[in-house]
Each structure stands twice: as C-alpha cells, then as structure tokens.
Amino acid sequence: MVKRVAIVGAGVSGLSSIKCCLDEGLEPTCFERSSDIGGLWQYTEYVEEGRASLYESVVTNSSKEMSCYSDFPFPEDFPNFLPHPLFLEYLKMYADKFNLLKCIQFKTIVCNVKKCPDFSSSGQWEVTTEHEGKQESTIFDAVMVCTGYLTDPFLPLDTIPGISTFKGQYFHSREYKHPDLFKNKRVLVIGMGNSGADIAVDASRVAKKVLLSTTRGAWLINRLDHGCPSDIVFTSRFQSAFRDCLPTPVVNWLFAKKVNSWFDHENYGLVPESRTFIREPVLNGELLGCINTGKVLIKASVETVKENSVVFKNTPEEEPIDIIVFATGYTFAFPFLDESIVKVENNQASLYKYIFPTHLEKPTLAVIGLIRTSTSLVCTTEIQARWVTRVLKGLTKLPSPEAMIEDVDKRKANKPTGFGLHFDMPLQEDGVIYLDEISSFIDAKPNLLSLLLVDPLLAFKVFFGPLTSYQYRLTGPGKWDGARNAILTQWDRIIKPTKTRIVQKRPDTFSYLLKVFSFLALLVAVFLIFQ
C-alpha cells in the first residue's frame, strides 16, 4: 500500500502535489534544489542550473481567476494579471494556509530515482538525494515528478548558417534578465512566442533597433477583450462545445476573424502559415504599438549570419546586428530517471494522459505538469495531482497497458478529426476537454443536468461562464463548501482591482425617457384593445 511519496520540485505543480497527498492521508516529502518555493516564479538575478528562469518584467499570461488553486482564490485586491513577485506571494500564502512547508526539504537535489529490486511486487522506489554535498538514499512507495518543461533551453545553432562567425553576442532567452544590456544596441530576437515578444518589447525601450524574426508567424492577441481578461471571456464549456461541433476550417476561420478584429495580421506579416492547426497565440498588448512606432520590425526567418550582420530569407539587404537572442523554446528531460522508466523522444514522452508511464508493473510514478493547455497550468497540474493521489491509494484504477499505449499513440499522431481546434505543438491540448476528462476519473466533473435541476443559476454559470478551477470542487473527493460562492462572485474579484476610483453615475436621460415612452405606448395599446 502506498504511504510515503517523494515529490521532486516545489513549484506550482509540486505544491499542489504536496497538498493533494496530505488530503488523501499520504506522507509526502518534497525535494527542492533551491532555498525557496515557487519554481519558475522564484525570480533570481542569475540563472540557476536545473531550474527554470524568468526575466524581471514577466507578468502572468492567464488571469488570476483562471490561475488559482481550486480551493484558494486570489485576494480580491490582487490585479487580474500578476507580476511575478505577486504570483510568488500567492504561492507562499497557499503554502502557509495548508501548512505545506513542513513537507519540503530545501537545497536538496534529486540525483537518481530507480526501482527497488522487488518493484514488480512492491512498486517502491529508491530515491538518492544530495544536500550540502552529502548523498542519502531513501525508499519511497511512490514518486511524483514536478520539474516542468522549461529547464533545458533549445538553442538550434546548427540551423543558423554562419552563427560561428558572428562577432556580436548571442544567448538563449533563458539567460535574459534586464533590458540594460540592449542599450544603444541593434538587437535581433529569433522566435515569436510569448518570451520573444516580451523581450522585443523590453529591448525596444533602450535599443537602437529591434528586429523580431518569425518562421511560421503567430496570432497576436491582447490580454484584455473589451476590458475583461481574454481567458475569462473565451474559456468556457459552452464555447468548447460550440467549437467541437464545427468543422476545423470553420473554427480556424472564426478564430482568425476574431483575432483580426484587433488588427489585420496580414498587414503586419504575422499571419501563421498553417491553416489546419492552431499555434498557441502570443499574448502581448504592447508589441503592436512598438511595430507601429517603428521600434520593432517583424522579419522572416534568418537565412545566414555574418560577422556583424544578418540576412533574412527573401530579403537581400544585410541588417547590422550587435546582439542575437534565441527565444526558441525548451526541450525537457529527466536526468534522474533512467530512459527505461521515461524516455523522451521528439519532445514527447510515452505517458498516459501526459502523466503515467505505460509500461510500469505498478503505477507508482507520475509526471505532473508536462503539458501545455489553453487553461492555466495551476488548474491543470492540480487536477492531475488529485487524480494521481487517488490512483496511488488504489481508489481509482488505470486502464490496461494496451489501452494506455493506444491512447498515447493516438495523441502522438495528432491526426485532425475534422472538427474543433487542433494544435501543432507537442504536449498541447484543449484545456477544457482535458480538465473535464481528468476530473471525470475522480468524479469531480460537474454534472450539468443534475445541477440544472437543483441549482439553475449555478448550472448557468458553470456552462456559460469561465471555466475556473472552482468548478472541480463542487462535487467528488475534495469537495469544497466555498466553491459555489467562489463561482458566483468571481466577476466581483475581476472588477474589484480595476475599480480603484469611484465614478458617480450620471442619470441616463435617454433611457429614462425611452422607458416612459414605452410604458405610455403600452397603456395606449391596452386601451385600444379593450375599446
């Protein structure tokens, strides 16, 4: 029987894993290589080996109501999009609230995780750790790997002809912290994801010139839609169901029409090449202004690099460049695990529902957070951890190895069904579908029909409103009594931090007169009918 659980990493997914273990009566021990919790959100002025790194200007891409743990809403006065210090403060509040720090061993590196000799019967693991130069091995009944996928930078130098002759400075975006080094420099950012766009905007404030190179283009959207967080507006069960009923070309056309309502991407050279798959949109409200003021120029992919300049495809002119930033993403690996346990190929791993290795005799190892969804990673990793701890306790069973392998192969193939959204990146899933699927394994998915009969208002909010994590605390194990109120008041918490100045409402004379006229017209109609 599983009792002792080793958790690797004390970031967003590690903290939720600790809490879920405690909720199920398990005994978690979390090993964190740094001196504090937070993982990616623990900002440092330097890059630490084996840890994700962020830059000073980072702000959350998902809004606070979509980014909170399901039984712990953000304080109502926190802004809708959070600078990294505030998000880290929230994580510390969460850890304090549920007394998670007692389970964490800081400055402890996990060196090796291997099966015990009797693994086929016990399912146990030998975990070797190092603290202050001293190694120690401990036996655990299960392991939850919470290291994320943003630790190993992907630097494709072999695809950039002439990079070895470049006399300027080049580095991966993981190394970037402040824009100071760009002052009066000519900067090229390669890669138009969220980090690439952010760094280009940062650099534009101090650099002499900034070029942003993209190979396949990207949809650029604002964090806000009509003043409301975009993810709140567009992430709901209703919209997911509506999309899945439509042919993929129609969905893509509607999506393009929506994002082009802000600005025509074709006029800015940003339209993505693929019209079958959807690339993860870039969330940046400032880049458009930088392009329009000439502070950032969009360029095609790099054809060749020379000593002090760059030539782009389909452009004969050389562009003088001093600094190149590779915002080219990440690969992931598990250096403490043997490939026979989890093998990574083509930036994918054979994990059932992105969590469980398919070939282990006992399901006592799980990977949490190795997925990109259209919803927040906080909500996703928490529902993963809730399912995993139920499996570890034997309260929920996994399918046969054959069924799990078939599911993994199907996801890897990524063949379009012809309906709904399809993503072109590994590990990318529709967040609404994935969350409902995993939550259904632990009976935490809301039953809309039952809800409609007993609580129509709540059913309406659950189906048409934003898919916030509170919905997965309405029922099942871990049910939270405050979930209903959290759902009904979520818009109050969205509006609260923006309404810092009270504005006296002016009387709407036109609406008042219209109501009076309508009432008089109704009286006249009644009088004429009964004459």
Side-chain angles (χ1 to χ4, degrees), residues 12 41 60-70 74 82 87 90-91 149 231 235 280 369 371-384 429-432 434-435 467-469 472:
V12 165
W41 297 99
T60 58
N61 284 330
S62 54
S63 63
K64 68 175 183 180
E65 286 300 301
M66 300 294 287
S67 303
C68 64
Y69 293 110
S70 58
F74 275 90
L82 298 113
F87 193 83
Y90 169 76
L91 295 179
Y149 55 85
D231 53 358
T235 308
E280 182 181 10
I371 184 173
R372 300 179 179 94
T373 68
S374 52
T375 51
S376 163
L377 187 64
V378 177
C379 183
T380 304
T381 57
E382 184 186 37
I383 204 69
Q384 287 181 329
E429 289 285 330
D430 185 304
V432 179
Y434 184 78
L435 290 174
L467 184 70
T468 45
S469 58
Y472 299 109

Side-chain angles (χ1 to χ4, degrees), residues 285-302:
E286 298 178 76
L287 181 58
L288 183 63
C290 291
I291 296 172
N292 274 300
T293 55
K295 293 181 178 180
V296 176
L297 302 178
I298 303 297
K299 292 290 184 177
S301 56
V302 174

Side-chain angles (χ1 to χ4, degrees), residues 134-406:
K134 181 181 178 181
Q135 288 198 353
E136 180 181 359
S137 293
T138 310
I139 303 300
F140 287 92
D141 300 316
V143 177
M144 298 173 74
V145 179
C146 305
T147 52
Y149 55 85
L150 299 176
T151 55
D152 300 324
F154 175 57
L155 198 61
L157 299 182
D158 55 341
T159 66
I160 309 292
I163 189 67
S164 60
T165 67
F166 185 58
K167 290 185 176 180
Q169 182 183 4
Y170 67 84
F171 54 89
H172 190 270
S173 57
R174 181 172 184 262
E175 309 290 324
Y176 171 70
K177 294 292 180 179
H178 304 279
D180 303 353
L181 76 163
F182 299 136
K183 189 171 184 178
N184 296 324
K185 301 290 185 180
R186 294 163 296 194
V187 181
L188 167 63
V189 180
I190 298 177
M192 193 174 170
N194 285 303
S195 295
D198 285 350
I199 293 171
V201 169
D202 276 1
S204 72
R205 298 185 176 101
V206 297
K208 183 183 294 184
K209 176 184 280 189
V210 179
L211 308 178
L212 180 56
S213 168
T214 175
T215 301
R216 296 179 298 168
W219 294 119
L220 180 64
I221 64 178
N222 204 327
R223 283 184 171 86
L224 299 175
D225 183 80
H226 293 87
C228 299
S230 296
D231 53 358
I232 285 287
V233 176
F234 297 114
T235 308
S236 70
R237 283 194 170 81
F238 167 73
Q239 296 205 38
S240 178
F242 178 69
R243 287 194 301 265
D244 291 342
C245 291
L246 297 176
T248 297
V250 175
V251 174
N252 290 347
W253 178 80
L254 289 172
F255 184 84
K257 186 175 178 61
K258 176 60 184 176
V259 295
N260 277 324
S261 66
W262 184 25
F263 70 95
D264 191 331
H265 283 61
E266 187 174 347
N267 292 341
Y268 289 77
L270 293 175
V271 177
E273 289 182 355
S274 175
R275 297 303 176 94
T276 302
F277 296 92
I278 291 289
R279 284 199 68 193
E280 182 181 10
V282 175
L283 283 92
N284 195 296
E286 298 178 76
L287 181 58
L288 183 63
C290 291
I291 296 172
N292 274 300
T293 55
K295 293 181 178 180
V296 176
L297 302 178
I298 303 297
K299 292 290 184 177
S301 56
V302 174
E303 185 170 277
T304 185
V305 175
K306 300 187 177 182
E307 288 186 354
N308 299 295
S309 64
V310 170
V311 177
F312 298 95
K313 289 185 178 179
N314 304 319
T315 307
E317 298 86 5
E318 296 181 20
E319 288 280 1
I321 293 296
D322 302 307
I323 299 175
I324 300 176
V325 182
F326 286 87
T328 44
Y330 294 81
T331 58
F332 65 90
F334 306 104
F336 48 84
L337 288 174
D338 188 80
E339 281 195 351
S340 63
I341 299 171
V342 178
K343 186 176 182 180
V344 178
E345 291 180 308
N346 300 320
N347 227 24
Q348 297 192 67
S350 294
L351 299 171
Y352 177 60
K353 305 303 180 187
Y354 304 99
I355 299 173
F356 290 101
T358 57
H359 59 283
L360 294 179
E361 302 97 314
K362 298 286 186 179
T364 55
L365 183 136
V367 179
I368 307 295
L370 191 64
I371 184 173
R372 300 179 179 94
T373 68
S374 52
T375 51
S376 163
L377 187 64
V378 177
C379 183
T380 304
T381 57
E382 184 186 37
I383 204 69
Q384 287 181 329
R386 289 174 66 188
W387 179 38
V388 167
T389 51
R390 300 289 288 180
V391 171
L392 296 181
K393 286 194 70 175
L395 300 173
T396 303
K397 302 295 182 184
L398 296 180
S400 67
E402 294 76 20
M404 290 193 291
I405 291 171
E406 182 181 352

